[in-house]
Amino acid sequence: MRREPLEGPMARWQPWRWSLADVQLLAAPEGLPCTVWPADPTATEPVPLEPASLTVDPRVQHWGFAGLTVRLHPEDAEGYLLNVTAPAPCFWVLWREPEGEDALPRPLIVTLSYHDAGRWLDAQERVDQVPAPAALVAWLADYAQRHHRVEPKRRARPASFQPLTDRFGQPARISTASRAPARGS
């Protein structure tokens, strides 16, 4: 997570803004590159990190949060397939804003599933995304292809129990009798 100072009129109310900077793999399936973490990867305490670039504003702070596990579920293969076939495959992170001015944000869940991210967004949670590494995307595409099962289409049963209405919601009459002649004939 990145903490950066705000400038302009908004800084009167909120001096800092938190944003998702990156998701790094600390442990991965065989063949995928991992990041060397400056602390115990299973630790739950946030770790202050130095920015990757020296051109970053010195007032910007980076914090790492280990201990978040991405769990893949075979029944959600369609969600992973949607991610890997998107123009920019990514990680989604559900996180909460800090409670106090000097408090840290709380990343809660990381996923690679479009379905999970969509449910969180529907629940109006704070969800940010960052690009996934190409090696992980290739591995996830293989996983999704192996586990994806196309659901058979089911025929929709007619709603014969519903009353017929016209386009204004008024009851409609259907008759098999011939039309009555027009008045005045």
Side-chain angles (χ1 to χ4, degrees), residues 61-128:
Q61 299 174 351
H62 288 83
W63 289 83
F65 297 82
L68 297 170
T69 303
V70 176
R71 298 195 195 293
L72 300 182
H73 303 280
E75 60 273 2
D76 198 15
E78 182 182 16
Y80 309 132
L81 202 54
L82 289 171
N83 187 5
V84 298
T85 58
C90 60
F91 284 102
W92 286 276
V93 178
L94 181 146
W95 64 280
R96 301 270 163 81
E97 289 282 343
E99 298 292 326
E101 190 172 314
D102 288 334
L104 296 174
R106 290 182 302 138
L108 301 173
I109 308 172
V110 180
T111 189
L112 289 161
S113 169
Y114 250 65
H115 293 165
D116 289 342
R119 281 190 290 271
W120 299 339
L121 289 168
D122 288 346
Q124 298 184 0
E125 292 285 356
R126 178 71 189 256
V127 179
D128 288 344

Side-chain angles (χ1 to χ4, degrees), residues 148-161:
H148 185 251
R149 304 287 177 257
V150 178
E151 298 221 5
K153 300 231 184 232
R154 296 183 187 179
R155 180 177 166 266
R157 297 186 64 167
S160 58
F161 58 88

Side-chain angles (χ1 to χ4, degrees), residues 3 43 98 167:
R3 181 182 179 187
R167 64 183 179 167

